[in-house]
Amino acid sequence: MSDAKDPDPAGHAEWFRPPTRREHVIAAWLFIGFGFFFLAMFYLCYGWGFRWVILVLGIYSIWHGLRHAIDAKHTKPS
């Protein structure tokens, strides 16, 4: 409860730091990997109506992973 009355909020800046280059790369691989998993599930679940939601999740996951990869490329190594 003492955090709400903390006179120096900048003292905890490390709690909310931006992701490092390594973390962007890890996130990119995870999102892209899950995206391809969802695309495989879309292919394997033929005839199931909910599979279109899985397709959208897969495409969005790959898109988000590519955005992380681009951010990793533009982030300075720490």
Side-chain angles (χ1 to χ4, degrees), residues 2-67:
S2 64
D3 290 340
K5 299 177 184 177
D6 193 3
D8 185 22
H12 302 292
E14 184 63 25
W15 287 4
F16 302 106
R17 64 172 174 73
T20 64
R21 184 178 196 171
R22 180 174 183 260
E23 291 167 344
H24 273 302
V25 170
I26 291 169
W29 279 108
L30 283 172
F31 275 104
I32 292 171
F34 279 118
F36 282 116
F37 169 76
F38 285 134
L39 292 180
M41 288 296 294
F42 171 78
Y43 178 73
L44 292 173
C45 293
Y46 181 77
W48 188 40
F50 190 71
R51 77 185 192 127
W52 294 102
V53 175
I54 293 173
L55 175 67
V56 172
L57 285 173
I59 292 170
Y60 180 77
S61 184
I62 291 172
W63 173 255
H64 198 70
L66 291 174
R67 287 179 35 205

